[in-house]
Amino acid sequence: MTPISAVIITFNEEQNIGRCLDSLKPVADDIVVVDSFSTDRTKEICEEKGARFVTHKFDGHIEQKNWAITQAKYPHVLSLDADEALDEELTKSIIKAKESFSADGYKVKRLTNYCGSWIRHGNWYPDIKLRLWDSRKGKWTGLNPHDRYELEKGSSEKLLDGHLLHYSFYSFDQHLKQIHKFTDISSKAAFKKGKKSNWLKLFINPFAKFVGGYLLRLGLLDGKAGFKIAWYSAYATYLKYSKLLKIQRGA
């Protein structure tokens, strides 16, 4: 059976990290948490759960996750965020995959809990992510803070049964705070990459984001939570392009 290392990055995740680590125990042969100097009980909880705890300066989501992989004992890596956990079916699927590891990477369907509601429609589901792979064949990439793992060209991928449970936000206010934080990061990262904003993108893209998630992808079936997600997603898109436009003018 192929041994795997579970890798997680954290900062002040005492509310979530215990659940995440508990779900990993049946599948991981090594668990390492790379923390960017938390000030809460994150370290204490990780050590109580038996995870290796390493501190490292945070220079960006992509940079931190690529460095975290270097701390894994085994080349086959299962990557989770602290607010995620494996459900029972996904746990069984990973154990089965370990028996042969017939693909270079395995994707999972992510099921999000938003303010107490499970989201099964809109842009947040099935939210397929590549989370288990041979780390010798890829790396984290994307545009901060929205990272993604990319395998080298020609690599094989499979989709696992089950769900990766994502406990995203516990309140609407928490969601709004993250939107402001992440759009600060994403607008600056986009500017460094040479991306541009304009008045057309400022108004058309948020509208398209709302319509796509709420109507075309049936986010309306998730009730109030579905509306909030579509509305806040549109607002985040507006903020991103608004902040990018401001950076352009000041450059």
Side-chain angles (χ1 to χ4, degrees):
M1 187 172 287
T2 304
I4 63 173
S5 289
V7 179
I8 311 138
I9 67 169
T10 56
F11 177 69
N12 287 346
E13 288 286 356
E14 65 178 8
Q15 189 173 19
N16 294 308
I17 190 61
R19 176 182 57 228
C20 176
L21 295 175
D22 285 342
S23 78
L24 288 169
K25 288 179 181 178
V27 303
D29 304 278
D30 166 49
I31 302 176
V32 57
V33 175
V34 175
D35 183 81
S36 47
F37 304 98
S38 290
T39 56
D40 65 358
R41 296 183 61 252
T42 298
K43 180 179 180 179
E44 180 182 341
I45 294 169
C46 289
E47 291 178 342
E48 286 175 356
K49 300 290 184 180
R52 289 190 294 119
F53 190 85
V54 182
T55 54
H56 186 258
K57 179 185 175 184
F58 186 85
D59 291 318
H61 290 81
I62 296 166
E63 295 81 1
Q64 189 80 336
K65 287 188 175 182
N66 276 322
W67 188 86
I69 289 174
T70 68
Q71 303 304 297
K73 286 184 178 180
Y74 305 110
H76 293 88
V77 168
L78 173 62
S79 175
L80 262 66
D81 291 334
D83 60 0
E84 297 172 338
L86 312 178
D87 74 359
E88 186 176 345
E89 188 176 9
L90 181 56
T91 298
K92 293 177 181 177
S93 296
I94 292 173
I95 292 172
K96 185 176 180 180
K98 288 177 63 178
E99 294 175 358
S100 62
F101 225 96
S102 57
D104 297 313
Y106 292 87
K107 293 181 175 181
V108 300
K109 291 176 289 186
R110 192 162 73 156
L111 178 63
T112 295
N113 187 290
Y114 179 72
C115 300
S117 298
W118 290 105
I119 305 303
R120 298 182 181 275
H121 306 89
N123 291 329
W124 282 17
Y125 188 79
D127 197 20
I128 295 174
K129 304 288 186 183
L130 183 66
R131 289 304 183 85
L132 175 61
W133 59 73
D134 183 341
S135 64
R136 295 165 294 191
K137 298 184 178 182
K139 64 179 180 179
W140 283 101
T141 182
L143 191 66
N144 279 322
H146 304 293
D147 48 59
R148 68 179 184 276
Y149 198 85
E150 286 190 4
L151 291 169
E152 60 189 27
K153 190 175 181 179
S155 298
S156 59
E157 299 178 4
K158 289 184 177 180
L159 178 65
L160 295 172
D161 293 328
H163 287 99
L164 181 62
L165 304 177
H166 179 213
Y167 297 84
S168 61
F169 301 105
Y170 296 93
S171 69
F172 299 139
D173 183 62
Q174 185 185 22
H175 190 184
L176 279 174
K177 286 179 179 178
Q178 191 196 70
I179 285 173
H180 285 284
K181 177 182 177 181
F182 275 20
T183 52
D184 281 344
I185 298 170
S186 62
S187 59
K188 292 173 184 176
F191 182 74
K192 289 181 180 179
K193 286 281 189 177
K195 295 183 180 295
K196 300 290 185 181
S197 177
N198 55 49
W199 288 106
L200 189 64
K201 291 180 179 179
L202 195 60
F203 293 103
I204 296 298
N205 288 22
F207 177 76
K209 190 76 171 181
F210 179 84
V211 171
Y214 192 64
L215 297 178
L216 300 182
R217 293 183 60 85
L218 302 179
L220 57 91
L221 296 180
D222 287 314
K224 181 181 178 180
F227 177 80
K228 282 285 190 179
I229 290 169
W231 184 259
Y232 283 166
S233 295
Y235 178 56
T237 302
Y238 170 79
L239 280 183
K240 180 180 70 174
Y241 285 108
S242 176
K243 291 176 180 181
L244 178 55
L245 190 60
K246 186 178 291 186
I247 295 171
Q248 286 172 211
R249 289 175 171 175

